[in-house]
Amino acid sequence: MKAIEVNNLSKKFKIKQKEKGLKGSLKSIFKPKYKEKKAVNNISFNVEKGEIIAFIGPNGAGKSTTIKMLTGILYPTDGNISIMGINPVRERKKLSYKIGTVFGQKEQLWIHLTPYDNFKFFGAIYDIPESIIEKRINEYKSIFELDEFINTPVRSLSLGQRMICEIVASLIHEPEILFLDEPTIGLDPVVKEKIRVFIKRLNKEKKTTIFLTSHDVGDIEKLCKRVIIVNDGHIVLDDSMENLKYHYLNKKIVEAKMNTKINLDEEDGITILKDKDYNLKLEVDLTKKSISDAIKLLDPNKIIDINISNTPLETIISSIYQGSKK
């Protein structure tokens, strides 16, 4: 049995259309017109037990709608879903004992309660014996170093502290599948890394299946072995992270602030994206040039500040999507 099975899944929404002018506004009220939008359009995929998979795409691609259908929050218009052999439409309560969810932009914790009280509350919802709840709270308290804020009301916590507590709350009942929708959004690098390390540990030790959406290339690179990319409701790529890295993540962006104006000529493997005043922005093709080659080209003695980053995920997705249309 697969952890997740999705066959020919679609979701349509009716969107009310507004008409211009006073007559149009009155007509919209009494005789509204609707247009149909397919947020998810006939997608199919499977996820194996114990897999960590990235389900990514630009804003409006259909990622969150898909997750909401997989977790029983939304009903599909067409198609079939099986989560650990459970139909989310007909058996949502049964499903809730098998899955955990974390939505980075939507809180599930009671903000006037402390994390400890929230964990106890969620444990009680899942009918977990008191002694087991305490054992799991202590385990996560140690892993995430929660002692400092476990008895502080959630409303007083930092974003990073709240997100860690959201993840712990979703794991109190030890779900077999964890759905993570932008779990590291807005977090500083230290907290991001702590969450990534824990997700890998959770997957390794408890064989928890992880279904992840994120705009952070770091999350995907460090956690996932497989990537599904969606755009405009369609799956445009379902491939291994290894292949994605080889074909699309082999470029870096180098941004530098110089103490003097320098004149650069493009070289094979180094593209000048910006050259204005004392600010330079280069794209480095790592299959042809190294980062050190780019820095030497800039002249290290003239660099005031430098930042090296991945190609934005949106750019990668756009490139893949355009290629799929050819």
Side-chain angles (χ1 to χ4, degrees), residues 109-159:
L109 300 175
W110 294 84
I111 62 171
H112 61 284
L113 296 179
T114 66
Y116 175 79
D117 289 334
N118 268 287
F119 302 153
K120 295 273 283 187
F121 172 74
F122 282 102
I125 286 177
Y126 288 102
D127 305 315
I128 302 170
E130 187 84 14
S131 59
I132 295 177
I133 296 174
E134 287 293 340
K135 182 182 177 182
R136 290 177 186 171
I137 291 174
N138 286 328
E139 180 185 354
Y140 292 128
K141 185 168 68 172
S142 173
I143 293 170
F144 279 117
E145 301 170 359
L146 303 180
D147 285 290
E148 184 183 337
F149 54 86
I150 195 167
N151 292 309
T152 302
V154 170
R155 63 172 175 268
S156 301
L157 301 182
S158 69
L159 177 60

Side-chain angles (χ1 to χ4, degrees), residues 34-290:
Y34 296 89
K35 71 174 181 178
E36 198 172 76
K37 175 178 172 56
K38 261 193 174 181
V40 176
N41 193 353
N42 197 38
I43 66 172
S44 299
F45 62 90
N46 294 326
V47 179
E48 299 290 337
K49 287 183 181 180
E51 194 173 1
I52 304 182
I53 185 169
F55 190 77
I56 61 176
N59 291 328
K63 305 185 303 295
S64 293
T65 301
T66 300
I67 284 186
K68 286 174 182 175
M69 287 191 284
L70 297 182
T71 55
I73 296 171
L74 288 177
Y75 290 171
T77 306
D78 295 295
N80 299 298
I81 305 169
S82 174
I83 309 294
M84 302 299 295
I86 298 168
N87 185 317
V89 175
R90 295 196 297 265
E91 303 172 283
R92 189 178 175 191
K93 184 177 179 181
K94 185 178 178 181
L95 177 70
S96 67
Y97 284 82
K98 297 284 186 179
I99 66 171
T101 58
V102 177
F103 294 93
Q105 296 176 314
K106 186 175 177 62
E107 295 178 348
Q108 62 180 336
L109 300 175
W110 294 84
I111 62 171
H112 61 284
L113 296 179
T114 66
Y116 175 79
D117 289 334
N118 268 287
F119 302 153
K120 295 273 283 187
F121 172 74
F122 282 102
I125 286 177
Y126 288 102
D127 305 315
I128 302 170
E130 187 84 14
S131 59
I132 295 177
I133 296 174
E134 287 293 340
K135 182 182 177 182
R136 290 177 186 171
I137 291 174
N138 286 328
E139 180 185 354
Y140 292 128
K141 185 168 68 172
S142 173
I143 293 170
F144 279 117
E145 301 170 359
L146 303 180
D147 285 290
E148 184 183 337
F149 54 86
I150 195 167
N151 292 309
T152 302
V154 170
R155 63 172 175 268
S156 301
L157 301 182
S158 69
L159 177 60
Q161 290 169 337
R162 286 205 307 272
M163 186 51 62
I164 287 172
C165 291
E166 291 277 351
I167 292 174
V168 172
S170 72
L171 295 172
I172 283 294
H173 61 297
E174 294 198 334
E176 294 181 54
I177 304 176
L178 182 60
F179 291 91
L180 298 171
D181 190 5
E182 301 286 357
T184 64
I185 190 167
L187 304 184
D188 66 65
V190 174
V191 178
K192 280 185 180 184
E193 189 57 29
K194 184 182 286 189
I195 288 175
R196 289 167 185 162
V197 168
F198 176 71
I199 290 171
K200 288 172 77 172
R201 178 178 171 181
L202 180 71
N203 173 257
K204 184 179 180 180
E205 294 181 4
K206 298 185 182 290
K207 311 301 180 188
T208 306
T209 304
I210 309 292
F211 192 92
L212 168 75
T213 74
S214 178
H215 280 87
D216 192 318
V217 174
D219 287 346
I220 298 155
E221 274 191 292
K222 294 184 178 181
L223 292 172
C224 305
K225 290 185 178 179
R226 177 179 161 213
V227 180
I228 295 176
I229 296 179
V230 291
N231 202 339
D232 197 27
H234 298 272
I235 291 177
V236 296
L237 182 82
D238 184 347
D239 207 346
S240 69
M241 189 67 216
E242 187 177 347
N243 283 342
L244 187 71
K245 276 184 179 181
Y246 181 78
H247 293 291
Y248 298 101
L249 293 178
N250 49 20
K251 293 181 180 178
K252 294 282 185 180
I253 304 297
V254 178
E255 296 177 88
K257 185 175 183 180
M258 314 300 292
N259 60 17
T260 184
K261 175 74 175 173
I262 64 171
N263 296 313
L264 291 181
D265 293 320
E266 286 194 0
E267 295 187 9
D268 186 31
I270 298 179
T271 305
I272 301 170
L273 302 178
K274 178 183 177 183
D275 184 356
K276 186 177 181 182
D277 300 328
Y278 300 148
N279 298 301
L280 291 163
K281 186 175 183 180
L282 311 177
E283 182 182 73
V284 183
D285 185 339
L286 299 179
T287 63
K288 298 177 180 179
K289 295 285 185 179
S290 67

